């Protein structure tokens, strides 16, 4: 099934594409045609200064903007979050090869053991099934097994928030502050996988820079909701990141031309916080209407960010995506199907601002009524 709802319409049907509302991803899900049109618009109105192997030009402009937003001295463009997380823990783990991570984190589950295979680090997973690791769990992991005969110091701690594998739940802010203070008192490096940090702020009310201040380094995605085709930003102290472009190239991450990614990310960075806050309010209205429908329930934990669980009753519940697609609304296929119903994930993004919220809620109601 296509990753973007835009992929199911004719590429030249611009007017329809601009009205598509999808709950499939964090971002707009731009089609190749829409991306090309946007680059042309940016080049003609704002201008795009080309980079040279991911240095200077619009890439440097983006790095400076993101460093300031995150309250860090410096930032480096990288092609993927995998490389950003890897290079961060590689540099931070100077006083020990063990790196504490969440068992549900991207770094532990989705990055192909890159830190282990390529940098000789030992990832230690904690808190399976949960977004938050407690300070007590961190203290125990740092202390090691009772009567441990060979010292194996922890060099770094990597924390992801929000955690997509736990339905987008945010890490508990109180535990985050406590872990940060504990690690800094012991000289343990701290990395934040904040791929979705900018959208998390709309739910927690905590500014990205305030969360980033608890860590040495922070990674933010450029493609998930800033709609670039690729890219990541790694921000941190200047002395730690100085010369990182050499390692970036060593790992094959210095794109000869990164300006198409940087220019689009900069475009959507302007006003993002305000737009996403409006999207959250609109989504709350839609989710409340869904929860009131007799055939549906909506589940969101107290720590939820932009992911909600929709449970739909009925033998034909799994057909909901097809029924909604006919009305220009995209959702992912059911993640669970039974004889009595189906379960879906709904992801809030800026496409919800394309149409009146009552119209979107009405389309869901009509689709549910027909099951």
């Amino acid at each position: 099934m296509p990753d973007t709802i835009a992929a199911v319409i004719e590429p030249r049907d611009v007017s329809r594409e601009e009205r598509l509302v999808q709950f499939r991803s964090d971002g707009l899900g731009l089609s190749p045609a829409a991306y090309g049109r946007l680059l042309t618009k940016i080049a003609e109105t704002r201008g795009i200064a080309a980079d040279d192997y991911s240095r200077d030009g619009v890439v440097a402009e983006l790095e400076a903007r993101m460093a300031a937003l995150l309250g860090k001295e410096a930032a480096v463009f990288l092609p993927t979050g995998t490389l950003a997380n890897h290079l961060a823990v590689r540099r931070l783990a100077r006083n020990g090869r063990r790196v504490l991570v969440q068992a549900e984190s991207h770094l532990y589950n989705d990055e192909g053991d890159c830190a282990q295979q390529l940098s000789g680090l030992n990832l230690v997973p904690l808190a399976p099934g949960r977004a938050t690791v407690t300070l007590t769990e961190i203290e125990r992991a740092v202390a090691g097994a009772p009567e441990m005969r060979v010292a194996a110091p922890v060099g770094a701690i990597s924390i992801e928030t929000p955690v997509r594998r736990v339905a987008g739940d945010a890490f508990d802010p109180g535990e985050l502050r406590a872990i940060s203070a504990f690690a800094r008192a012991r000289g343990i490096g701290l990395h934040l996988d904040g791929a979705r940090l900018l959208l998390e702020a709309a739910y927690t009310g905590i500014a990205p820079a305030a969360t980033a201040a608890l860590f040495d380094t922070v990674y933010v995605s450029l493609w998930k909701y800033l709609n670039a085709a690729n890219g990541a930003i790694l921000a941190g102290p200047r002395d730690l990141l100085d010369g990182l472009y050499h390692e970036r190239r060593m790992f094959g991450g210095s794109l000869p031309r990164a300006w198409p990614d940087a220019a689009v990310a900069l475009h959507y960075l302007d006003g993002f916080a305000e737009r996403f806050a409006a999207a959250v309010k609109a989504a709350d209205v839609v989710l409340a209407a869904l929860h009131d429908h007799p055939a549906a329930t909506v589940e969101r934990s107290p720590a939820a960010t932009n992911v909600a669980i929709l449970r739909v009753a009925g033998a034909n519940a799994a057909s909901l995506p097809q029924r909604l697609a006919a009305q220009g609304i995209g959702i992912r296929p059911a993640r669970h199907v039974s004889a009595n119903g189906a379960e879906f994930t709904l992801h809030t993004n800026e496409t919800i601002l394309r149409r009146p919220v009552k119209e979107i809620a009405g389309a869901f109601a009509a689709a549910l009524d027909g099951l």
Side-chain angles (χ1 to χ4, degrees):
M1 192 153 184
D3 289 335
T4 62
I5 185 64
V8 305
I9 67 169
E10 290 298 322
R12 294 182 181 178
D13 192 351
V14 177
S15 62
R16 188 180 174 199
E17 183 173 348
E18 290 175 346
R19 280 180 51 79
L20 287 171
V21 174
Q22 54 92 3
F23 294 83
R24 300 168 62 97
S25 65
D26 299 321
L28 299 178
L30 296 173
S31 68
Y35 200 90
R37 291 193 298 269
L38 177 60
L39 275 177
T40 299
K41 177 183 175 182
I42 296 171
E44 292 176 346
T45 57
R46 187 182 186 277
I48 302 175
D51 61 292
D52 182 36
Y53 278 93
S54 304
R55 299 186 70 185
D56 303 320
V58 70
V59 172
E61 182 181 352
L62 175 64
E63 290 171 340
R65 280 281 302 278
M66 292 298 289
L69 176 66
L70 297 168
K72 298 299 184 185
E73 292 179 337
V76 177
F77 171 91
L78 295 161
T80 67
T82 295
L83 187 57
N85 283 332
H86 179 195
L87 293 185
V89 295
R90 176 186 172 92
R91 288 217 163 185
L92 289 171
R94 293 170 290 190
N95 300 321
R97 307 308 290 171
R98 284 191 175 186
V99 179
L100 305 185
V101 299
Q102 296 135 299
E104 308 303 330
S105 67
H106 276 74
L107 179 57
Y108 187 67
N109 291 285
D110 301 297
E111 301 183 2
D113 290 347
C114 62
Q116 299 95 311
Q117 295 276 358
L118 303 177
S119 294
L121 301 176
N122 178 20
L123 302 189
V124 181
L126 303 175
R130 292 184 279 123
T132 296
V133 181
T134 66
L135 174 60
T136 299
E137 290 171 308
I138 294 289
E139 290 174 332
R140 288 174 181 166
V142 169
E147 301 180 3
M148 189 165 64
R149 295 181 178 180
V150 179
V154 171
I157 300 170
S158 176
I159 289 176
E160 177 184 327
T161 186
V163 184
R164 185 43 48 92
R165 284 180 175 270
V166 191
D169 278 7
F171 200 101
D172 180 81
E175 293 288 355
L176 210 55
R177 291 190 294 271
I179 292 168
S180 176
F182 170 83
R184 285 185 165 160
R186 288 157 181 78
I188 298 173
L190 288 160
H191 172 62
L192 171 61
D193 178 344
R196 298 172 172 87
L197 182 62
L198 304 192
L199 67 79
E200 179 186 270
Y203 295 90
T204 64
I206 302 172
T211 301
L214 302 174
F215 296 84
D216 299 301
T217 56
V218 53
Y219 142 59
V220 171
S221 175
L222 299 179
W223 69 265
K224 295 183 187 300
Y225 48 91
L226 293 179
N227 304 300
N230 313 280
I233 284 290
L234 179 63
R238 194 177 305 280
D239 61 349
L240 184 71
L241 299 187
D242 186 44
L244 190 66
Y245 64 88
H246 291 297
E247 284 175 70
R248 178 178 66 188
R249 187 154 190 168
M250 179 175 69
F251 281 94
S254 288
L255 302 178
R257 297 291 180 267
W259 59 262
D261 301 319
V264 169
L266 266 177
H267 174 78
Y268 284 107
L269 184 60
D270 289 336
F272 173 79
E274 294 77 15
R275 294 193 311 273
F276 200 80
V280 170
K281 289 183 179 179
D284 286 345
V285 175
V286 172
L287 293 175
L290 282 171
H291 194 66
D292 289 340
H293 194 282
T297 57
V298 175
E299 178 183 307
R300 301 188 73 228
S301 77
T305 56
N306 72 320
V307 181
I309 307 301
L310 173 66
R311 292 189 174 89
V312 179
N316 297 320
S319 68
L320 182 62
Q322 290 74 33
R323 297 183 62 83
L324 286 170
Q327 301 189 59
I329 294 177
I331 67 172
R332 296 183 179 196
R335 68 175 193 170
H336 296 301
V337 179
S338 69
N340 300 318
E343 183 177 293
F344 305 87
T345 56
L346 302 182
H347 299 246
T348 295
N349 56 65
E350 290 184 50
T351 65
I352 200 170
L353 302 177
R354 290 174 172 172
R355 288 157 67 178
V357 67
K358 289 185 178 180
E359 182 181 314
I360 298 169
F364 268 98
L368 289 167
D369 289 342
L371 291 176

